[in-house]
Amino acid sequence: MNKKILIVEDDINISKIIKMNLNIVNYDTTEVYNGRDAYELLQRERFDLILLDVMIPGIDGFELMKKIEPLRIPVIFLTAKNSVIDKVHGLKLGAEDYIVKPFESLELLARIETVLRRFGREETIMAFKDVQVLLDKREVKLHGKPVELTVKEFELLVVLLKNKNIALSREQLLDKVWGISYFGETRTVDMHIKSLRKKLNLYDHIKTVYKIGYRMED
Amino acid sequence: MKLWQKIYLFSILPFIIIFTLASVLIIERNHSKLLQQEIDTTLRENMSIRSTMEAIVPFLKIYRSPDYEQTVWTTIGNEFVAKNSDHTMYLNIIEEPNRVAYSNIDFAIPQKWEELQSPAKDEILSILSDVGERTILFTSSLVDLNDRKYSIRYMKDVTAVYEERVEQYQFFMKVDIIACLLYLILMIFISKGLTRPIERMVRTAKVIAQGDISKRVDVNTKDEIGNLAENFNRMVQVVEDKINELELNNLEKQRFIHDFTHELKTPLTSIIGYANFLRVTKYQEDVFVDGLNVIHDEAKRLESLSLKMMDLILIREDHFELSMENLKAVLDEAEPVLTMKAKERQIQIAIDANDCWMEMDKDLMKMLIYNLVDNAIKASAEQDTITIKVYGEEQRCVLVVADQGIGIAPEHLDKIFEPFYVSDKARSRRYNGVGLGLSICQSVARMHHGTFEVASEENVGTTIKVIFETGKRNEVKQ
């Protein structure tokens, strides 16, 4: 079942772009544009995570935080305020994370994932077409049969699946899989992609995107 | 050395010197007067002996006996001594060259008196001299009697006069010490009292120097120090006001920057978000068109923001020149643009203008009118009418812009002049509003000594009145 995320953001365009980004990696989203609506909705519905703008009409973000504390839903603040004091204030109130506008969608997704994992709400099994990934056992199955992957191939596959339908540059992939300190060439990424396509028969799904990198597509 | 100590010392020293000098002068004068008196008396007495002796001469001529002469001289001498027995005196009558006619001297005559022994005729000589512990005044005169020369020496003990002087000095010393002591004690209080306000000022100045600018000197005297304290307080007040003003300014600026950053980031977030989304996801036509529309709109909003910012910067740079203009004429000049803008949304503009002259910068005044009317257009619905009025009152020009639009809720009324404040975000976005219009208007109005009056009712309309005080036009601007 997909995770449900509530987006509380008064700027419609920003709310929409967040929603689009989340939907594409298979999160279910609901948008509300002010604090009061958010509060009412939270009384009725259960969400796995809230993305909350601080400066919203009605009840502001910090205030809403206090009110919904008993629900124990992880909150990530979205705001243009980037002063340290605001950050401390937000985190003191129990926000899990803080993200400053303008932000990159990849950063947002990564933070959402981190928070969800911390709250044990992340899946342990990812399925894509004929491929099954058992995250806790670090096992990959194709048509139910285990496939041998190297450590880096496994991690690369997980990153691509988590950012499904989003193109990732070779640099981003290097960074996420090999780490920032790795000074390898982007060719390393190409080799591993090639190997993944072959081992898991993903020729049609791991797409090469012109001038950007690779994208896992349905 | 502290000021009070200086005052103390500088007043004490002259006092002691002058007091002492004056006393010495008085004592010495007294003394010399007394002495002179003694001398005069002595001389007179010498003379009186002489006249007595001269008066007796005819009898002597009758008798012509040396014994009788001697008896007469002794009698005269004894009588005289007895008459003046109230003070110590000595008489010595000598018949020249050296026969003693009468003498009651009980001491040896000092050598230097010898020169006085033979005065010229009809002359009296006098000399003062110490004999043992006494001071003796010696007078000598020569008289020619019966062809014989007599030297009359009359001496007086004037030790008392000198003792009197010493006594006076002793008395003076006591008086001097007591007076000085009194003066010393008095001056401590006086000099400290005089400098106390200064010390208080110094203490206060120290406190102020340490940062407590709200402190004031508490000195109420009416003299120069009081004057200084008053001016000092006034100076501190001015400094404090300036600091407060700067702080307020700074705070305002900080908030402006803060709000401005927020206004920049919101459209940027959308633009970056959509651009990236379109870049990294598979092409879908509806998303593509939607996304590009958002990017276009948000970029337009940024453009509008930057234009308004330019206006604000222009106003704040103070490059404006005031000249005498007719507000009506300026409105007439602006009218075509306003009407065109209103027409786009099928809104009527009604103008009712009378002549009113005031000092203004024409371009800025037009900017003010555009912004006010722009706001009115944004608030209005189609077919509404916006009324613009200009009229003069005594020493005032009044500009009124009234619409029949959505109005402003009472809770927003006091905030509408704050930069970036918009009462209805969604509505403001639709027209690329950034919330700077009224800030600009206020800046312009302030330069022209204008104040705002806003009356508004939701769903009935808003009337904004700008009242320019033309009476102030001759004062320094801002």
Side-chain angles (χ1 to χ4, degrees):
Chain A
M1 208 183 98
N2 290 339
K3 298 288 168 212
K4 284 170 70 183
I5 296 179
L6 177 64
I7 304 166
V8 189
E9 161 67 64
D10 65 328
D11 192 296
I12 295 164
N13 284 334
I14 293 178
S15 179
K16 213 157 92 187
I17 185 74
I18 294 172
K19 174 193 154 87
M20 284 157 74
N21 272 304
L22 295 187
N23 288 349
I24 213 162
V25 290
N26 289 339
Y27 288 116
D28 284 346
T29 53
T30 307
E31 294 167 88
V32 287
Y33 306 112
N34 63 58
R36 213 163 283 124
D37 289 354
Y39 183 67
E40 273 167 27
L41 188 63
L42 282 164
Q43 304 303 309
R44 285 182 274 119
E45 255 186 82
R46 178 85 195 150
F47 289 91
D48 294 296
L49 185 113
I50 303 169
L51 293 174
L52 181 57
D53 186 4
V54 177
M55 307 233 283
I56 45 171
I59 311 170
D60 82 27
F62 291 136
E63 214 175 310
L64 184 65
M65 247 334 274
K66 280 186 216 157
K67 284 194 156 186
I68 60 169
E69 214 204 329
L71 297 175
R72 309 284 312 141
I73 302 173
V75 173
I76 296 178
F77 270 128
L78 299 173
T79 182
K81 285 186 180 182
N82 55 358
S83 68
V84 181
I85 293 164
D86 277 340
K87 254 178 225 180
V88 171
H89 188 43
L91 296 176
K92 252 192 198 155
L93 285 171
E96 288 307 317
D97 209 340
Y98 206 98
I99 186 161
V100 176
K101 296 177 198 172
F103 47 80
E104 293 229 20
S105 48
L106 271 183
E107 192 193 352
L108 178 67
L109 291 178
R111 293 204 186 195
I112 290 174
E113 196 196 307
T114 312
V115 170
L116 285 177
R117 193 190 303 138
R118 201 184 304 152
F119 269 70
R121 288 179 184 168
E122 205 203 23
E123 323 221 5
T124 51
I125 301 173
M126 289 166 83
F128 179 76
K129 303 290 167 192
D130 304 327
V131 181
Q132 241 188 338
V133 183
L134 306 168
L135 286 167
D136 43 353
K137 291 184 191 164
R138 295 187 76 85
E139 236 178 54
V140 180
K141 289 180 180 173
L142 180 64
H143 302 297
K145 285 177 204 157
V147 179
E148 281 295 320
L149 291 185
T150 66
V151 177
K152 293 298 171 197
E153 280 168 0
F154 177 83
E155 283 176 14
L156 184 59
L157 177 64
V158 172
V159 169
L160 285 170
L161 283 177
K162 277 183 180 162
N163 296 290
K164 203 166 57 179
N165 292 324
I166 294 174
L168 298 164
S169 69
R170 290 178 179 82
E171 286 77 15
Q172 281 170 330
L173 288 170
L174 261 182
D175 187 31
K176 285 187 183 298
V177 176
W178 281 268
I180 299 169
S181 53
Y182 184 80
F183 290 103
E185 289 177 41
T186 47
R187 264 179 53 93
T188 319
V189 179
D190 298 338
M191 305 279 289
H192 281 77
I193 292 282
K194 201 171 154 191
S195 156
L196 270 183
R197 279 176 177 152
K198 193 174 158 193
K199 283 184 181 172
L200 298 171
N201 191 25
L202 290 170
Y203 293 105
D204 293 338
H205 299 296
I206 303 181
K207 290 269 169 65
T208 305
V209 184
Y210 176 65
K211 271 197 170 171
I212 295 180
Y214 297 101
R215 176 164 64 208
M216 185 72 97
E217 274 182 25
D218 283 318
Chain B
M1 208 193 295
K2 286 198 166 176
L3 183 62
W4 77 266
Q5 289 167 330
K6 278 187 197 170
I7 293 177
Y8 188 57
L9 217 69
F10 289 143
S11 62
I12 287 261
L13 282 179
F15 171 77
I16 292 177
I17 291 171
I18 291 170
F19 187 75
T20 310
L21 277 178
S23 307
V24 167
L25 212 71
I26 289 168
I27 292 170
E28 284 301 324
R29 188 161 174 272
N30 246 345
H31 170 74
S32 73
K33 234 181 171 173
L34 265 176
L35 201 61
Q36 193 57 51
Q37 246 169 33
E38 289 293 338
I39 292 172
D40 288 351
T41 322
T42 314
L43 289 178
R44 242 192 337 271
E45 276 159 5
N46 192 313
M47 293 277 281
S48 113
I49 294 174
R50 183 176 149 170
S51 20
T52 312
M53 283 173 79
E54 274 171 348
I56 214 102
V57 166
F59 297 101
L60 292 182
K61 277 184 178 164
I62 298 169
Y63 295 100
R64 284 201 176 266
S65 150
D67 290 340
Y68 178 68
E69 241 182 75
Q70 184 58 45
T71 315
V72 169
W73 297 145
T74 311
T75 311
I76 290 176
N78 281 338
E79 246 173 46
F80 207 85
V81 170
K83 202 173 82 189
N84 292 302
S85 63
D86 56 326
H87 54 257
T88 323
M89 50 81 62
Y90 305 98
L91 183 64
N92 187 9
I93 304 170
I94 290 170
E95 187 193 335
E96 291 293 328
N98 50 21
R99 198 186 68 85
V100 175
Y102 178 87
S103 180
N104 68 339
I105 296 174
D106 56 355
F107 56 87
I109 289 172
Q111 277 300 305
K112 63 170 178 174
W113 291 6
E114 295 305 321
E115 64 197 71
L116 293 173
Q117 297 205 346
S118 42
K121 200 175 172 259
D122 296 332
E123 191 191 34
I124 301 177
L125 294 172
S126 70
I127 194 167
L128 270 168
S129 184
D130 291 339
V131 176
E133 290 194 337
R134 294 181 298 180
T135 306
I136 308 285
L137 176 63
F138 179 96
T139 58
S140 163
S141 63
L142 196 70
V143 65
D144 210 357
L145 296 174
N146 226 3
D147 301 328
R148 270 185 299 231
K149 281 185 176 130
Y150 290 90
S151 165
I152 304 166
R153 296 167 184 173
Y154 185 84
M155 286 147 278
K156 197 167 186 184
D157 186 348
V158 289
T159 316
V161 175
Y162 284 87
E163 274 169 357
E164 171 78 10
R165 184 164 75 158
V166 171
E167 210 172 272
Q168 271 190 354
Y169 271 116
Q170 278 167 349
F171 176 72
F172 158 73
M173 286 292 277
K174 281 180 207 154
V175 169
D176 197 26
I177 288 168
I178 290 169
C180 281
L181 275 177
L182 277 176
Y183 191 80
L184 282 174
I185 293 164
L186 215 67
M187 272 317 286
I188 286 184
F189 289 110
I190 290 174
S191 57
K192 277 210 163 181
L194 280 176
T195 54
R196 188 171 304 125
I198 297 178
E199 250 167 55
R200 242 186 303 184
M201 274 179 69
V202 169
R203 268 202 302 275
T204 311
K206 264 187 200 158
V207 172
I208 291 171
Q210 276 156 12
D212 187 0
I213 196 92
S214 63
K215 264 269 182 304
R216 291 292 176 275
V217 181
D218 182 22
V219 173
N220 295 319
T221 50
K222 290 268 180 289
D223 53 12
E224 289 92 330
I225 294 174
N227 200 350
L228 175 66
E230 203 177 295
N231 281 309
F232 179 85
N233 279 346
R234 214 171 290 154
M235 180 191 82
V236 176
Q237 185 64 45
V238 169
V239 170
E240 189 185 8
D241 288 351
K242 262 269 136 44
I243 288 176
N244 286 343
E245 197 188 311
L246 283 177
E247 257 167 22
L248 208 74
N249 254 339
N250 198 23
L251 220 71
E252 223 169 72
K253 258 181 202 150
Q254 208 139 5
R255 211 171 90 193
F256 186 86
I257 289 171
H258 185 273
D259 292 346
F260 178 63
T261 317
H262 183 257
E263 291 307 309
L264 269 186
K265 279 194 174 178
T266 311
L268 277 178
T269 305
S270 285
I271 291 171
I272 293 169
Y274 278 91
N276 193 50
F277 188 83
L278 295 177
R279 194 169 67 111
V280 299
T281 56
K282 214 162 128 185
Y283 173 78
Q284 293 157 272
E285 192 172 358
D286 51 339
V287 175
F288 184 75
V289 173
D290 259 10
L292 285 182
N293 274 337
V294 171
I295 290 172
H296 177 261
D297 291 349
E298 296 291 323
K300 273 289 200 192
R301 219 175 122 206
L302 279 181
E303 187 196 20
S304 152
L305 177 66
S306 74
L307 287 176
K308 294 275 177 189
M309 281 301 290
M310 295 275 273
D311 283 351
L312 259 188
I313 289 165
L314 198 80
I315 295 169
R316 286 182 186 187
E317 270 184 355
D318 287 353
H319 292 317
F320 56 89
E321 273 172 34
L322 299 184
S323 58
M324 209 42 152
E325 302 283 350
N326 189 350
L327 189 56
K328 177 184 191 295
V330 177
L331 179 60
D332 287 344
E333 270 179 51
E335 198 221 327
V337 182
L338 300 177
T339 314
M340 201 175 71
K341 255 198 156 178
K343 245 187 195 163
E344 283 171 19
R345 302 210 35 237
Q346 287 162 25
I347 293 166
Q348 262 64 251
I349 287 194
I351 291 185
D352 170 17
N354 295 308
D355 288 332
C356 188
W357 291 82
M358 59 178 278
E359 294 230 310
M360 66 168 95
D361 182 302
K362 251 168 96 173
D363 292 332
L364 290 183
M365 190 55 76
K366 272 190 212 164
M367 192 192 283
L368 173 100
I369 296 172
Y370 287 144
N371 272 298
L372 286 180
V373 175
D374 197 39
N375 279 349
I377 292 174
K378 282 175 190 166
S380 299
E382 287 184 7
Q383 307 307 332
D384 278 356
T385 302
I386 294 169
T387 314
I388 308 173
K389 282 187 207 168
V390 166
Y391 56 91
E393 284 177 358
E394 53 174 295
Q395 306 230 311
R396 288 167 157 190
C397 278
V398 183
L399 169 73
V400 182
V401 177
D403 65 53
Q404 305 166 317
I406 50 165
I408 306 163
E411 68 261 30
H412 294 304
L413 259 182
D414 53 334
K415 295 182 194 152
I416 54 174
F417 289 102
E418 288 174 19
F420 303 111
Y421 189 85
V422 289
S423 55
D424 185 339
K425 262 194 181 177
R427 202 181 168 82
S428 152
R429 294 200 68 131
R430 209 182 317 149
Y431 304 116
N432 280 332
V434 292
L436 285 177
L438 279 177
S439 291
I440 293 172
C441 290
Q442 203 180 32
S443 295
V444 174
R446 210 176 283 152
M447 274 170 218
H448 294 89
H449 306 291
T451 46
F452 281 87
E453 271 178 22
V454 184
S456 185
E457 201 176 325
E458 279 184 280
N459 299 318
V460 176
T462 305
T463 303
I464 294 193
K465 225 187 213 186
V466 197
I467 302 157
F468 300 102
E469 301 285 340
T470 54
K472 281 186 185 174
R473 66 185 170 221
N474 291 326
E475 284 177 23
V476 184
K477 45 199 171 188
Q478 278 210 329

